[in-house]
Amino acid sequence: MNDQTTQLILDSLGSLLRATVTTTIPLTVISFVLGLVLALGVALMRLSSVPAVSAVARIYVSLVRGTPLLLQLFIIYYGLPALGVRFDPFPAAILAFTLNVGGYAAEVIRSAILSVNKGQWEAASTVGMGYVTTLQRVVLPQAARTAIPPLSNTLISLVKDTSLASTIQVTELLRVAQEAAAPTYQFFALYGVAAVYYWVVCLVLSFVQVRLEERQNRYVAT
Amino acid sequence: MTESTSSISSMSSLSPLGSLSSLSSTAHETDPLVSVSGLAKSFGDHEVLRSIDFDVAPGSVTVLIGPSGSGKTTVLRSLNALDVADAGVVRIGDVGVDFAQRPVTKRQVATLRAQSGMVFQSHHLFPHVTVLENVTAGPVLAQRRDRPEAEAEARELLRLVGLEDKDGAYPYQLSGGQQQRVGIARALAIRPQLMLFDEPTSALDPELVGEVLRVMRDLAAQGWTMVVVTHEIRFAQQVADQVLFMDGGVIVERGTPEEVLTRPRTERARQFLHRILDPLD
């Protein structure tokens, strides 16, 4: 590696870090949080005893999982303007990632809720709890234990999937690396730096996942 | 006909601690606390209950015995609408539900269910919270009672079941017998009028059965009205006021423990008791 390349890497460290902190991470966090809220709603709809409600949720999940995320981004950013709906790049990305997380996490949450023994619902109802209280205080806390590993997978995938937003003009980590590399053709060096940044973010998340899992295991015999 | 008059006011006067002191005063009342008539239930084509009628006097213990599949658990679960009967009337105190009148509303179910505390065969404690939080779950999360007051009462109930030192433990740290006793305390904590026990000792190691039955015997002695599904014939002999022997979805025999357990009139009851008491014969 020559001095010129080293210098380019050093110069770009700051701007790539800025893109990570100001765009990639917020894009991930906001989409994931909104996606989880959506996913909980979809999971509960899927579990509904009303066939129409459950069917709507099933179709949504099927559409999200059955089409490429890149295509979902393109439809929202390039496609919807044909119908008069126009988004800026960042909100368009948030919307696409939220809908995507909503579909995948819904299945995780649904199966985690089903993994909680039916006796827990009955016991809660015999001490007077209604549906919402039971869900909130009894079922979801136990479902969380089952859901944390697969939801962590979803989150870690999302960190990397946010790079797709580079295709709709969002100046996130990958796009900034591309722009920095283009004038000098130093793609290897700059994509390498970007890769390290993604990797570090994912390492931190994996560490958080381990801690969360330990916390969840405090009430089970090990 | 449905009386949806909530009996919140009568419940609070019948707090578990209150009923400890009023044990003999309830014995004068002649009206039954629980009255069941014409109860019927099918699961698909299978008719589990045909037509069940019985009363439970306040402060008395009713034990349901019978072979598995005889419908006794379904009777118990119909008393709090965990199983919703197809027909028949269940009345507990002022609250009555006529199951033939459809739809049975969520509110009716909730009101009926609030009248009784339920102890399950496999305890169904909430595993993610402590023993104390299990006992306060009903009072605090459902009845919206004041937490300090509910905790004080919960500690009192844990003392009653002999577990005052386990308040901070998680359920998995307890033995099966201790878990079941927490289950009893949790059920008592909602201040029910009636206690329901669904085979509370069937899932326990034999040496742990006694500690649970002793707590139940003490509750009976304190004047609690109880309906118990069990295979513990000795418990029935010593504690029951009324024994119902069920088979094939009907009550085949009913009477005092002496009548049903010692001198059964029907061949079915005789055979069942024989099988339980002398399994090798």
Side-chain angles (χ1 to χ4, degrees):
Chain A
M1 200 154 50
N2 60 35
D3 287 352
Q4 197 195 343
T5 311
T6 312
Q7 193 54 45
L8 184 67
I9 289 175
L10 288 176
D11 289 347
S12 65
L13 283 180
S15 57
L16 263 61
L17 181 63
R18 204 173 315 114
T20 306
V21 172
T22 63
T23 309
T24 295
I25 291 176
L27 195 53
T28 306
V29 171
I30 296 170
S31 306
F32 191 67
V33 170
L34 294 178
L36 279 188
V37 174
L38 176 65
L40 176 60
V42 174
L44 295 177
M45 285 173 69
R46 275 278 267 134
L47 293 169
S48 166
S49 53
V50 183
V53 173
S54 158
V56 168
R58 209 168 32 242
I59 290 168
Y60 165 72
V61 170
S62 174
L63 280 176
V64 166
R65 297 205 303 187
T67 55
L69 176 53
L70 185 58
L71 185 61
Q72 293 165 13
L73 266 174
F74 282 5
I75 287 175
I76 288 169
Y77 186 68
Y78 296 116
L80 285 184
L83 306 176
V85 184
R86 225 167 282 274
F87 290 102
D88 284 341
F90 191 77
I94 294 275
L95 181 60
F97 294 136
T98 297
L99 290 174
N100 195 262
V101 169
Y104 280 92
E107 287 299 283
V108 171
I109 293 174
R110 184 181 68 94
S111 65
I113 288 174
L114 288 175
S115 77
V116 176
N117 189 314
K118 189 166 148 276
Q120 293 289 305
W121 287 96
E122 290 194 345
S125 99
T126 61
V127 299
M129 292 187 211
Y131 176 77
V132 175
T133 310
T134 303
L135 199 61
Q136 211 180 326
R137 308 306 292 255
V138 176
V139 174
L140 289 181
Q142 295 181 60
R145 221 183 128 246
T146 319
I148 282 174
L151 286 182
S152 302
N153 267 343
T154 307
L155 174 59
I156 286 170
S157 297
L158 178 63
V159 172
K160 295 166 295 175
D161 287 346
T162 58
S163 60
L164 293 174
S166 63
T167 61
I168 61 162
Q169 326 292 333
V170 177
T171 48
E172 47 65 69
L173 176 55
L174 177 60
R175 189 169 177 92
V176 171
Q178 258 169 351
E179 285 170 353
T184 55
Y185 294 97
Q186 295 284 354
F187 289 108
F188 182 74
L190 283 157
Y191 286 168
V193 173
V196 170
Y197 279 169
Y198 280 115
W199 186 44
V200 169
V201 171
C202 292
L203 277 180
V204 170
L205 290 176
S206 300
F207 176 75
V208 171
Q209 175 187 353
V210 170
R211 296 300 300 272
L212 272 178
E213 284 179 24
E214 283 169 1
R215 218 179 95 76
Q216 289 296 318
N217 282 334
R218 73 195 182 283
Y219 62 82
V220 290
T222 43
Chain B
M1 172 223 63
T2 29
E3 301 160 33
S4 55
T5 25
S6 152
S7 62
I8 304 297
S9 55
S10 66
M11 271 171 64
S12 53
S13 66
L14 252 167
S15 80
L17 308 175
S19 71
L20 304 188
S21 52
S22 67
L23 58 119
S24 53
S25 66
T26 52
H28 302 303
E29 295 177 28
T30 46
D31 282 352
L33 176 67
V34 181
S35 167
V36 174
S37 59
L39 203 63
K41 170 79 178 169
S42 299
F43 291 113
D45 288 343
H46 182 51
E47 208 175 3
V48 190
L49 302 180
R50 288 164 202 273
S51 180
I52 302 291
D53 303 275
F54 66 95
D55 289 344
V56 177
S60 74
V61 176
T62 295
V63 168
L64 290 165
I65 60 167
S68 56
S70 60
K72 52 197 193 304
T73 289
T74 308
V75 168
L76 194 79
R77 290 168 58 90
S78 299
L79 294 178
N80 63 6
L82 279 181
D83 285 337
V84 176
D86 301 330
V89 178
V90 171
R91 192 184 56 73
I92 302 174
D94 301 335
V95 178
V97 175
D98 181 352
F99 289 99
Q101 301 263 317
R102 293 298 168 128
V104 179
T105 65
K106 280 183 183 173
R107 190 191 171 82
Q108 284 178 302
V109 166
T111 311
L112 183 68
R113 204 166 281 169
Q115 308 310 311
S116 58
M118 177 87 171
V119 178
F120 297 89
Q121 179 176 346
S122 41
H123 69 75
H124 295 323
L125 293 180
F126 306 131
H128 59 300
V129 295
T130 63
V131 163
L132 187 70
E133 289 168 309
N134 264 279
V135 180
T136 57
V140 173
L141 301 178
Q143 298 176 334
R144 305 282 169 204
R145 273 153 60 190
D146 192 39
R147 184 180 287 277
E149 177 223 302
E151 283 186 355
E153 197 173 298
R155 289 180 199 285
E156 194 68 15
L157 290 170
L158 286 173
R159 200 174 52 75
L160 188 74
V161 299
L163 292 171
E164 61 272 36
D165 55 334
K166 297 291 184 189
D167 56 348
Y170 284 99
Y172 82 89
Q173 295 167 313
L174 306 181
S175 72
Q178 291 171 329
Q179 289 169 337
Q180 201 52 293
R181 286 186 281 152
V182 175
I184 294 173
R186 178 178 69 177
L188 290 168
I190 65 164
R191 297 176 169 174
Q193 303 197 56
L194 166 73
M195 283 290 285
L196 307 175
F197 295 84
D198 184 11
E199 303 202 29
T201 59
S202 299
L204 296 180
D205 288 339
E207 76 271 23
L208 302 176
V209 167
E211 61 188 74
V212 174
L213 292 183
R214 277 193 294 278
V215 168
M216 292 167 61
R217 183 192 61 197
D218 292 349
L219 291 176
Q222 287 161 6
W224 279 94
T225 310
M226 299 168 35
V227 179
V228 184
V229 172
T230 187
H231 292 296
E232 300 291 337
I233 301 300
R234 294 259 299 149
F235 173 84
Q237 280 170 334
Q238 292 173 12
V239 181
D241 298 291
Q242 169 177 235
V243 176
L244 307 177
F245 170 71
M246 288 188 64
D247 195 13
V250 293
I251 297 175
V252 177
E253 283 202 42
R254 66 179 80 208
T256 62
E258 170 70 13
E259 288 165 346
V260 178
L261 302 173
T262 315
R263 294 180 277 103
R265 294 184 308 274
T266 61
E267 187 53 31
R268 278 198 278 181
R270 264 195 293 276
Q271 279 180 3
F272 171 75
L273 289 164
H274 185 67
R275 278 201 307 275
I276 285 211
L277 298 170
D278 293 299
L280 292 180
D281 271 14

